[in-house]
Amino acid sequence: MKPKQLKAVQLRRLRKIVDYAYRNVAMIKKRFDEAGVKPSSIKTLDDVSKIPFTVKTDLRDNYPLGLLAIPQNRLYELHASSGTTGKPIVVAYTRGDLNCWGRLMGRSFDVAGVRKGDVVQNMYGYGLFTGGLGFHYGAKAVGATVVPTSTGNTKRQLMLMKDLRTTVAACTPSYMVYLCEASRAEGYEPKRDFVLRVGLFGAEPWSEEARKRIEEVFGLRAHDIYGMSELYGPGVGVECDQRNGLHIWGDEFLVETIAPDTGEVLEPGKEGELVFTMLSREAMPLLRYRTRDLSRVFEEECACGRCHPRIQRIKGRSDDMLIVGGVNVFPSQVEHVLMNIQGLGDQYQIIVTRTDLDRLAVKVETTADRLNDPKLVKLINSDLLAVLGINADVELVELGSLPRSEVGKARRVVDLRPKG
Ligand code: ADP
Ligand code: ZN
C-alpha cells in the first residue's frame, strides 16, 4: 500500500471501531459522554486526539471481563498478563480476533524472513501469557515447524536446538544472552553445533550491544518484536531487514506518542509514551490505550518499501524508569555501557538504596583474574558517569554469581528505597 491508501483504510476503520466501542462498551460510552465527544465527532485521523484515553488501571478496575463488547459466549480464547501489581489483566478474543493476531504474528515472522521449512523453537512461556501462543500462531501462519519448548530447562533447550536443527529462536533477549554463556558451559560451540538463522526477541527492552553479542555468538540475524497482551499480544510491530525501527502494523493499530505528564499529542520523531488505538478488535476494543512505553514514531517511508509507520526500539517504560537523586536512569542505559566494556560477563544487577542520599550500585560479573582490578572498576564508573550523569558504586563479582533469568524476564533492578 501507499501511505495514502493506508491512511484511508485507517480512517474508515477508526470511524467504525469508535462507533462500535461506543455502542458496546459501557465504560467507553461513559468516557465519551463525560468528555462531550460523540462517535460522529471523529471525522479525520487527527480527530483521534479527541478520544479519551484508556489506561492499565481501567482494565484492572473492570476485572475480569467488564470491557467486553460482545456476549461472553462468543469468546474464543482468554489470556491474562502477569500484571506487576494486584489482579492480572484479562484479555479476551473472538475467533476473528484470534485470526487477526495470528495473521499479524505471521506477517511479523515473514518480515523477519521465516518461511515454510524453518524450525521455530518457541522458548516463550506457554499458558496465560500471550508470548507462548502468540509465537506459536505466528509460526503456524507462515507454515514453519514449531517446537513448543516453552521457558526454562536450558539443557534440554540446547539439546533440542542442536538435534532438531532449529533455525529460528524465539525468546526474550535476556534469555538469549543467557544462552550465549550457557551453551558454552554445556560444551557446545554455538556456530558449529547450531544452525540458527533468525532470532525473534522481544517482551523486554534490550540494547544494540545485546544484539551484537547474540549475533556474534550464534551467527543469526536478530529482530526486535514488540507487543503487549492488551493489544492481542506480541506482533504489534517488528523490525524489517533494515532494522531501523519497528514497523507497527498500521492497518490494525493507530499509533501516537504523547507527553506522559500532560497527555499532549507529540509530533512524529519526538520521544514520548506510545498510545495505541486498535482498529478492528471485536472482543475488547481499546481506544487510545496508554502503554507507558517510551519511544518515537517515524512516518517517513522505510527503505524496505513498507508503508507501515515505525517506532524506535523501546527505551523503557515510563514506570520502570528509576529516578536516582533526581536523575532519570533507564536500565537499558546501564546495559549499554557494560556491554561496551571488554572483559565483562553478560550479567549485571542495578541496586538502588537510600540512606540520606540515593545511591546507585551496579554489580557486574567478570572473570576471577579481574575481580580485584581497580582500573576496570574505574573505567566502568567513568563510563556510567558519562552516560547517566551520576556516580555509581561498581562491584565486580564472580561469573555465575548473579541471579539468572531462566524463566521469563530478567529482574535486573533491585530498588531498596523506602516507598512513598
Ligand atoms: P507484562 O509484561 O505486563 O506481563 P506483556 O507481556 O503484555 O505483559 O508485556 C508488555 C510489555 O512488555 C510492553 O508494554 C513493553 O513494556 C514490554 N515489551 C514488549 N516487547 C518489547 C520490546 N520488543 N522491547 C521493549 N519492551 C517490550
Ligand atoms: Zn522497513
Side-chain angles (χ1 to χ4, degrees):
M1 266 191 240
K2 291 267 172 288
K4 221 175 118 190
Q5 286 172 296
L6 176 65
K7 290 214 150 76
V9 170
Q10 288 179 323
L11 180 59
R12 181 162 43 80
R13 290 190 167 181
L14 175 67
R15 296 180 67 170
K16 196 168 152 193
I17 197 82
V18 165
D19 188 58
Y20 171 82
Y22 182 84
R23 282 187 290 106
N24 294 294
V25 184
M27 184 197 78
I28 291 182
K29 180 176 188 313
K30 187 163 165 271
R31 294 269 167 89
F32 270 64
D33 291 348
E34 280 164 7
V37 180
K38 292 199 164 53
S40 60
S41 325
I42 310 304
K43 295 195 177 70
T44 67
L45 283 178
D46 287 340
D47 288 338
V48 74
S49 63
K50 296 179 182 164
I51 298 174
F53 292 119
T54 302
V55 294
K56 220 174 191 111
T57 47
D58 290 331
L59 281 93
R60 222 171 269 137
D61 295 344
N62 288 282
Y63 175 86
L65 292 169
L67 297 179
L68 276 197
I70 50 153
Q72 214 167 319
N73 66 5
R74 274 193 62 203
L75 288 182
Y76 197 66
E77 194 162 304
L78 289 164
H79 281 271
S81 129
S82 48
T84 38
T85 49
K87 292 242 160 82
I89 282 169
V90 174
V91 280
Y93 310 73
T94 62
R95 179 189 281 249
D97 291 334
L98 212 70
N99 286 342
C100 178
W101 182 24
R103 219 163 37 237
L104 293 180
M105 276 305 284
R107 264 196 218 170
S108 304
F109 269 77
D110 183 74
V111 163
V114 183
R115 300 286 178 267
K116 182 167 189 283
D118 271 311
V119 177
V120 179
Q121 188 158 332
N122 186 7
M123 299 173 271
Y124 284 101
Y126 277 72
L128 278 176
F129 177 62
T130 52
L133 283 167
F135 279 84
H136 192 89
Y137 299 146
K140 292 201 164 299
V142 292
T145 308
V146 58
V147 186
T149 49
S150 199
T151 50
N153 205 337
T154 299
K155 272 189 192 172
R156 193 182 60 185
Q157 297 280 12
L158 292 166
M159 180 183 78
L160 292 175
M161 192 174 279
K162 177 167 184 250
D163 296 343
L164 300 178
R165 300 185 64 76
T166 298
T167 56
V168 180
C171 60
T172 56
S174 59
Y175 188 63
M176 202 64 193
V177 166
Y178 171 69
L179 288 185
C180 289
E181 72 175 11
S183 57
R184 290 197 167 126
E186 290 296 323
Y188 296 94
E189 188 40 63
K191 277 191 186 153
R192 181 197 67 205
D193 293 327
F194 306 120
V195 292
L196 290 172
R197 204 168 62 69
V198 177
L200 282 159
F201 306 120
E204 62 186 358
W206 52 306
S207 61
E208 206 48 43
E209 289 71 28
R211 161 147 51 211
K212 270 196 217 114
R213 188 156 296 192
I214 292 168
E215 292 192 335
E216 267 165 30
V217 170
F218 287 99
L220 55 73
R221 209 164 154 78
H223 290 256
D224 194 358
I225 179 163
Y226 171 75
M228 72 186 58
S229 309
E230 301 90 307
L231 308 173
Y232 296 122
V236 174
V238 68
E239 282 176 326
C240 67
D241 210 43
Q242 302 293 321
R243 303 196 302 186
N244 54 359
L246 292 83
H247 284 284
I248 297 297
W249 299 121
D251 51 338
E252 293 296 343
F253 304 99
L254 212 58
V255 59
E256 306 168 79
T257 33
I258 61 164
D261 42 351
T262 62
E264 177 205 348
V265 178
L266 302 175
E267 295 282 303
K270 291 252 162 19
E271 183 180 292
E273 178 181 344
L274 294 175
V275 172
F276 288 92
T277 296
M278 303 186 85
L279 294 175
S280 71
R281 185 75 178 267
E282 291 177 326
M284 261 178 67
L286 291 178
L287 307 181
R288 295 198 92 205
Y289 186 65
R290 290 187 60 159
T291 63
R292 299 272 161 202
D293 289 326
L294 299 178
S295 179
R296 299 166 203 270
V297 176
F298 302 113
E299 293 194 331
E300 302 85 48
E301 205 177 315
C302 179
C304 75
R306 291 184 182 86
C307 61
H308 301 275
R310 281 167 296 148
I311 58 166
Q312 192 175 51
R313 71 162 63 245
I314 306 293
K315 184 173 173 191
R317 295 176 58 84
S318 63
D319 50 7
D320 82 7
M321 182 180 75
L322 293 163
I323 304 181
V324 183
V327 178
N328 296 348
V329 175
F330 284 90
S332 56
Q333 295 174 302
V334 175
E335 175 171 328
H336 179 91
V337 168
L338 297 178
M339 290 226 164
N340 266 319
I341 297 175
Q342 290 292 315
L344 296 180
D346 294 323
Q347 302 296 329
Y348 63 93
Q349 199 170 50
I350 300 167
I351 300 152
V352 193
T353 53
R354 179 181 292 159
T355 41
D356 46 353
L357 291 174
D358 285 354
R359 295 286 322 166
L360 182 75
V362 174
K363 285 188 184 178
V364 59
E365 290 185 358
T366 188
T367 46
D369 56 311
R370 306 199 68 179
L371 277 176
N372 295 311
D373 183 351
K375 270 204 255 146
L376 185 57
V377 171
K378 212 164 156 229
L379 175 69
I380 299 170
N381 185 279
S382 68
D383 284 9
L384 283 172
L385 179 63
V387 170
L388 306 175
I390 52 171
N391 257 304
D393 304 320
V394 175
E395 191 187 336
L396 298 172
V397 299
E398 260 180 78
L399 285 179
S401 65
L402 290 175
R404 298 307 201 243
S405 88
E406 263 216 61
V407 177
K409 310 187 186 200
R411 275 186 205 82
R412 288 185 165 132
V413 178
V414 183
D415 195 337
L416 297 172
R417 292 175 294 189
K419 297 274 172 294

